Structures are given as structure tokens and as C-alpha cells.
Amino acid sequence: QVQLVESGGGSVKAGGSLRLSCAVSGLAMTDYHLGWWRQAPGREREAVAVAYTLAGGTKVASSVMGRFTVSRDNDKRTVALEMNSLKPEDTGTYYCAAGRTVVDFYKGQNYYGQGTQVTVSS
């Protein structure tokens, strides 16, 4: 049974930082691209960041480039999202995601966690 469990959400003021973490179980870490999606109020869910599998490398959305960093630790079975210089438009529910292929990941065809709330006030 695949389980993705997020932690680390909360409320901060604009310009602040938060670190999200996700504990992964029930799947072979090296077979999945891991990352984060978010759902902002009134907006469609969007892919925020992905850490690729054995080949390494990461990619973040243009809206968070230079502010967010994604990382994974296959030994610890975790994926993290470091968020700096947060803006009110970053507010939303953040979901840990695991996709079997890059196409799956960006199509949203992933395993997801239950989500963690991030609220950024101005």
C-alpha cells in the first residue's frame, strides 16, 4: 500500500520560509519521480516541483523558480520542499506526489498524500 505523508505546513508572513517534508512508503523509491503539487483557492492544481529518479536533477515551476528547492533522499525515503521568499499567491494545499514516469507526473497521474496547508499573509 502506497502512502505519502506530508508535514511542515503552516502560516507565515510574506517573505518568510517553510520546509515541507514527505515520508514515502509502499513503493520502490528509485522507480518514481517525486515532487509536489499545489491547489490554490479557486485555481487548478498545479505541479510545483519534481525530483527525478536515478538520473538525478530537479525542476521547479517558473512561478517559484529561485525561491523553492526540491530534494529527495532515497535512503531516508523522503522528499522535501524548501520554500523561501513566500508570497501570498503561494497559499494553498500542497500535495506530495509520486509518478511512475515524467509524463505521468505532469499529467497528474500520481500517488498523492493527504495534503498540507500553507498560508502566506501579506
Side-chain angles (χ1 to χ4, degrees):
Q1 179 182 358
V2 176
Q3 284 193 315
L4 306 175
V5 180
E6 302 97 338
S7 59
S11 297
V12 296
K13 291 188 176 180
S17 298
L18 283 173
R19 178 181 171 86
L20 306 183
S21 185
C22 175
V24 181
S25 61
L27 56 78
M29 290 288 286
T30 54
D31 288 346
Y32 284 81
H33 305 288
L34 302 175
W36 299 85
W37 281 64
R38 70 183 178 187
Q39 176 85 61
R43 298 175 65 179
E44 292 188 0
R45 190 179 289 196
E46 63 172 337
V48 176
V50 61
Y52 298 118
T53 56
L54 287 176
T58 62
K59 184 177 177 65
V60 298
S62 58
S63 58
V64 304
M65 195 170 293
R67 301 187 298 118
F68 290 15
T69 304
V70 62
S71 61
R72 62 187 290 165
D73 187 324
N74 289 340
D75 291 334
K76 294 183 178 179
R77 302 188 63 84
T78 59
V79 58
L81 185 67
E82 188 77 37
M83 306 185 293
N84 299 310
S85 302
L86 282 160
K87 303 176 180 179
E89 50 263 44
D90 294 318
T91 294
T93 303
Y94 284 69
Y95 298 90
C96 180
R100 190 66 176 81
T101 69
V102 174
V103 171
D104 284 347
F105 186 88
Y106 283 104
K107 282 188 173 182
Q109 295 172 352
N110 302 308
Y111 292 107
Y112 290 100
Q114 80 286 353
T116 186
Q117 180 66 34
V118 171
T119 302
V120 185
S121 59
S122 57

